[in-house]
Amino acid sequence: MKTRFSFTLLIAVVALSMLLSACGPQATPVPTQAPAAPQPTTAPAQPTAAPAQPTAAATSAATSAPAATTAPTTAPAASTGRVYALVPKNLGNPYFDTANKGAQQAATELGVTVNYTGPATADATQQIQLINSLIAQKVSGLAISADDADALKPVGAQAIAAGIPVVSWDSAIAAGGRTVHVNQAEAQGIADVQIKMALDLTGPNGGKIAILSATSTAPNQNEWIADMKTTLQKPEYSKLQLVDTVYGNDEDTKSYQEAQGLFMKYPDLKVIIAPTTVGIAAAARAVQDGNLVGKVFVTGLGTPNQMRAYVKSGASPEFALWNPSDLGYLAIYTLDAIATGKIKGQPGDKFTAGKLGQYTIAQDGTVLLGPPTVFDKNNIDQFNF
Ligand code: RAM
C-alpha cells in the first residue's frame, strides 16, 4: 500500500516536473525590477492613464529594500543537477502558484530544477507525509510554507540531519526544524496595515470587525492575528471592536460560508479582515452576493488579480500584499546559497538573490523580503499577479 502510494507519488512528481519544465522556465524573462517592491510581471491589461501615487507602504518598500549589488541574471544557466522541492501549504491557491512562477525563474537562472508539489488541502499531516517521501527521494533541498510550525519541526530536523537544507518561506517551521525562514514582511507591519485599513473602512466612528483566517494552525496567520490584537490596543483604534475570529481553512467554499455566518451573527458588522488570499476573495464575493456592498467591507491580504473586481465594486476598497513571485524567487535563491555551501544559513551570512540584490540573515534566522503594498482603485491596475 505504502509502496503503491510512493510509486503513484513518484509518477505524479515526474509528470508535474515534466509539465513545469514545459511551461514554467520558458516564461518570458521578468523585466528588471526595483528590489523587493511589488511590480507587474507583465503589462497590466488596462493601464491607468496617470500612474497613481505609491502608497506609504509601497514607497517604504522601494526605499528600504536591499540594494542590488550585481546586474540581474536572467539567462538560463547550465544544469547543475540539483533538484529542489517547493512545497506550498496546499495546491490550487493562486498565491502559491504565483510564488512558483518566481521560483521557476530562479531555477532557470541558477540551473537547478524546482518541483512544485504540495498537499491537496492545507493539512500538516499530509504535508509531513509528502516531506518524508521527498527526503527518501534525496532531493537537494526543501522550501516549505508550513501548515503547522511545531508539527513540521521533527520532519524538518530529520531532513537537515540527512544533509538536506530546509528553508521555510511564507509560513514558518519552528526554529530547529528549518535552516532559515524567508519572511515576506515583518509580522507586526502586516498586522498594523490591516488594522489601519479596517479603520479607514469603518471611518472614525469605528464599529464591529471580525477576522476570517485560514486554518487554526497556520503559523503565519496566527502570528498576524496575535499582532493585530496588540495593534488594536493602541488608542487610535479604541473604536474598533473585534467580535470574532473564524477559520475558512484556505478553502473557498468554507471561507464563503464562514463569511455568511458572520453576517448572520453580527447584523451590524462593519469589516471583515481576512489575512489570507483565499478568505479575502471568498468574503468579498459573499458581500457582493448578499447585496451588502457599502454595509460590510472586506480587507486583509489578497492578490490583485483575485481582488480587482471587488475593489471596483466597493466590496473590498483596499487590501494589502507583498509580491508572492518575489517571495518564491527569494526562497529558491536562499536555499541554493545554503545547498551549495555559499553560506551556512547562520545569522549575519550574506548572499545575493539575483534581481532582488543582496540579503543578510537576521539574528533570528530569518531573511526579510520587504514591507507589503496597499492596493486600492488608484493603483490596482498596475499589478498583474
Ligand atoms: C494564503 C495563504 C498564505 C498567506 C496568504 C496571505 O494564500 O494562507 O500562507 O501568506 O494567504
Side-chain angles (χ1 to χ4, degrees):
M1 184 66 189
K2 209 166 161 196
T3 321
R4 195 153 144 213
F5 172 73
S6 313
F7 181 70
T8 314
L9 190 71
L10 187 66
I11 299 286
V13 168
V14 170
L16 191 63
S17 73
M18 284 170 71
L19 192 68
L20 285 175
S21 57
C23 36
Q26 274 130 32
T28 333
V30 173
T32 308
Q33 301 181 351
Q39 295 285 323
T41 48
T42 59
Q46 291 164 332
T48 42
Q53 289 303 311
T55 60
T59 309
S60 100
T63 49
S64 65
T69 51
T70 54
T73 24
T74 46
S79 174
T80 61
R82 292 191 293 281
V83 178
Y84 301 131
L86 183 75
V87 181
K89 282 177 172 171
N90 59 335
L91 294 175
N93 177 345
Y95 170 86
F96 290 118
D97 294 347
T98 305
N100 182 40
K101 283 191 189 148
Q104 294 304 330
Q105 190 198 347
T108 305
E109 292 172 10
L110 291 165
V112 302
T113 299
V114 171
N115 290 326
Y116 180 54
T117 175
T121 58
D123 173 75
T125 307
Q126 284 183 42
Q127 209 175 31
I128 291 166
Q129 279 173 358
L130 172 64
I131 294 165
N132 270 320
S133 115
L134 293 166
I135 295 172
Q137 289 168 39
K138 297 190 171 37
V139 291
S140 321
L142 291 161
I144 302 165
S145 170
D147 279 313
D148 188 309
D150 295 323
L152 264 76
K153 187 174 159 181
V155 77
Q158 199 187 318
I160 295 167
I164 299 174
V166 177
V167 165
S168 61
W169 57 282
D170 174 66
S171 184
I173 301 177
R178 68 185 198 221
T179 320
V180 167
H181 175 63
V182 178
N183 199 4
Q184 49 270 63
E186 307 263 24
Q188 189 63 61
I190 296 173
D192 289 350
V193 74
Q194 292 182 87
I195 297 300
K196 184 187 172 303
M197 292 188 296
L199 186 64
D200 282 352
L201 295 172
T202 62
N205 291 335
K208 291 187 179 159
I209 65 170
I211 294 174
L212 166 59
S213 191
T215 61
S216 62
T217 61
N220 50 347
Q221 272 88 10
N222 283 350
E223 188 179 11
W224 302 331
I225 292 170
D227 287 348
M228 282 195 261
K229 289 180 178 166
T230 307
T231 310
L232 282 169
Q233 304 300 319
K234 291 187 176 171
E236 62 263 44
Y237 298 120
S238 62
K239 298 229 165 107
L240 293 180
Q241 188 194 350
L242 177 62
V243 292
D244 216 338
T245 300
V246 297
Y247 300 91
N249 293 351
D250 269 352
E251 288 166 20
D252 176 71
T253 306
K254 178 150 171 49
S255 303
Y256 185 90
Q257 288 164 350
E258 290 292 340
Q260 287 181 320
L262 289 170
F263 307 149
M264 301 270 288
K265 198 164 166 195
Y266 307 99
D268 53 349
L269 187 71
K270 293 256 180 73
V271 170
I272 292 178
I273 301 177
T276 140
T277 60
V278 179
I280 192 174
R285 194 169 83 252
V287 162
Q288 267 188 204
D289 292 352
N291 291 321
L292 294 170
V293 174
K295 183 172 186 299
V296 182
F297 297 104
V298 176
T299 189
L301 305 174
T303 67
N305 287 354
Q306 284 183 291
M307 296 304 293
R308 195 177 326 276
Y310 306 121
V311 166
K312 293 184 179 179
S313 76
S316 179
E318 57 177 336
F319 66 95
L321 200 69
W322 43 92
N323 186 333
S325 174
D326 285 351
L327 186 61
Y329 182 92
L330 179 57
I332 294 304
Y333 263 94
T334 309
L335 185 58
D336 194 63
I338 300 166
T340 54
K342 284 192 193 103
I343 58 168
K344 287 206 159 59
Q346 301 293 323
D349 284 355
K350 291 185 190 326
F351 65 99
T352 298
K355 65 179 180 177
L356 296 179
Q358 199 186 63
Y359 285 83
T360 304
I361 298 178
Q363 282 312 311
D364 61 356
T366 65
V367 174
L368 186 64
L369 180 65
T373 295
V374 173
F375 304 95
D376 60 20
K377 66 175 171 16
N378 296 317
N379 68 355
I380 189 134
D381 282 332
Q382 297 171 22
F383 298 89
N384 184 13
F385 62 83

